[in-house]
Amino acid sequence: FKLKSLLNAFVDEYESWHFNQENLNTTIDSPASNNILLKQKEAIRRMREGINFLTSKENIYYFKAFQLSQSAMLKQFSWNDAARLGPFDLGAGIKPAEKHSDIEYKKYVWRPFQLAFQLLSIESVADNASSHRDVVDLLWFPTGGGKTEAYLALAAFEIIKRRLLLKENGGGTSVWMRYTLRLLTSQQFERCTTLISVLEHLRRSNPNLLGNEPITLGLWVGAATTPNRLAVEAEQSNSAKELYHEVLEESQPENKFQLNRCPRC
């Protein structure tokens, strides 16, 4: 009940701003402004629905998935901060947090639009019978504003939710991420690896809860960018094993493995 009250208080702030916009619109009253106000009302309604859905007694597994996904994102932020300072085992940086209690959680907070996006989308992600399943929710925000983290939180929720509800049948491909530019694909893949590593760390700590199938991440961009095979097969080359030895032997090798460091270390 405390969480429900806090989340509703958050939406109350947005609704108060919306009422101010309605007052301003009395002097404008254009089709465009009226349409924007209708969208704001819809967003408020869907956020309220998301809060009610998560905090309903009947949806305890969805609440647990939301709770674990928030914990995973918190640890992801912590691990990223640790990694930016350099490898811990080489004397740089700080040791990545193992437990929730090891994290200075007060330094990590959601920006309002990030939390709003999650509350607005989560009911339609979780409930197959949702009336909003055919709606495409678009995050329109400046570069560097935090869009990636907002949708990664939903991805974490979906991955965890499937395993909580479907048990051993909850593995397999849970989320597709598609980008129009190859460079952007590689960058987003690298950013996603930390979250997937956190989720796998969480799964290994709770196999009875999240199953025995590892939580993994794959990249599909073609052999020109990264190897498609682990080992050399007959009449084929450019395998991961072959490129691995090239990286070790050459002084300035081309890295086709996309990742330059372990997202945890």
Side-chain angles (χ1 to χ4, degrees), residues 3 7 16 29 39 79 98 110 115 118 131 168 173 180 185 188 206 212 215 219 229 234 250 260:
L3 177 63
L7 291 176
S16 176
D29 194 26
K39 296 289 186 182
W79 283 15
E98 296 291 341
W110 286 120
L115 180 57
Q118 293 175 64
S131 61
E168 292 303 319
T173 302
T180 53
T185 300
Q188 294 295 314
N206 302 273
N212 295 313
I215 298 175
L219 179 67
R229 298 172 178 82
E250 296 180 16
N260 293 317

Side-chain angles (χ1 to χ4, degrees), residues 10-42:
F10 168 74
V11 179
D12 288 343
E13 292 289 328
Y14 179 71
E15 191 166 25
S16 176
W17 175 82
H18 164 72
F19 290 147
N20 290 333
Q21 296 298 299
E22 283 189 319
N23 292 332
L24 290 173
N25 191 50
T26 56
T27 59
I28 303 173
D29 194 26
S30 70
S33 63
N34 290 331
N35 184 53
I36 291 172
L37 289 172
L38 287 174
K39 296 289 186 182
Q40 291 172 2
K41 287 181 179 178
E42 176 70 2

Side-chain angles (χ1 to χ4, degrees), residues 20-206:
N20 290 333
Q21 296 298 299
E22 283 189 319
N23 292 332
L24 290 173
N25 191 50
T26 56
T27 59
I28 303 173
D29 194 26
S30 70
S33 63
N34 290 331
N35 184 53
I36 291 172
L37 289 172
L38 287 174
K39 296 289 186 182
Q40 291 172 2
K41 287 181 179 178
E42 176 70 2
I44 293 167
R45 185 171 69 84
R46 288 184 62 191
M47 283 190 282
R48 302 282 192 202
E49 287 179 359
I51 294 169
N52 291 334
F53 180 84
L54 285 175
T55 55
S56 169
K57 290 182 179 180
E58 294 78 26
N59 295 330
I60 185 65
Y61 281 109
Y62 296 109
F63 176 77
K64 184 65 175 178
F66 179 72
Q67 185 182 44
L68 289 174
S69 66
Q70 295 297 304
S71 181
M73 289 303 298
L74 177 65
K75 188 171 286 188
Q76 186 227 214
F77 292 135
S78 168
W79 283 15
N80 280 336
D81 274 356
R84 287 190 189 100
L85 299 175
F88 171 73
D89 57 355
L90 298 180
I94 55 178
K95 186 177 182 180
E98 296 291 341
K99 297 181 292 185
H100 189 88
S101 57
D102 295 334
I103 302 173
E104 297 180 55
Y105 62 91
K106 289 185 179 179
K107 65 186 288 189
Y108 304 110
V109 295
W110 286 120
R111 295 170 182 172
F113 90 90
Q114 293 174 318
L115 180 57
F117 177 73
Q118 293 175 64
L119 295 177
L120 180 137
S121 307
I122 207 159
E123 185 265 345
S124 60
V125 169
D127 187 2
N128 291 336
S130 170
S131 61
H132 307 296
R133 288 285 283 188
D134 60 348
V135 176
V136 176
D137 290 305
L138 176 66
L139 265 177
W140 188 267
F141 216 76
T143 300
K147 296 184 296 296
T148 299
E149 288 72 22
Y151 74 71
L152 284 183
L154 279 181
F157 172 82
E158 174 64 16
I159 292 168
I160 294 171
K161 181 261 294 184
R162 283 167 57 93
R163 288 170 180 256
L164 289 179
L165 292 176
L166 303 177
K167 306 300 180 183
E168 292 303 319
N169 293 323
T173 302
S174 303
V175 177
W176 283 84
M177 294 163 55
R178 184 179 183 274
Y179 301 94
T180 53
L181 299 174
R182 183 175 293 179
L183 177 60
L184 185 60
T185 300
S186 300
Q187 290 173 340
Q188 294 295 314
F189 172 78
E190 185 171 356
R191 294 177 69 177
C192 191
T193 54
T194 305
L195 174 61
I196 297 301
S197 297
V198 168
L199 290 173
E200 173 59 9
H201 183 268
L202 182 65
R203 185 201 65 80
R204 292 185 183 189
S205 303
N206 302 273

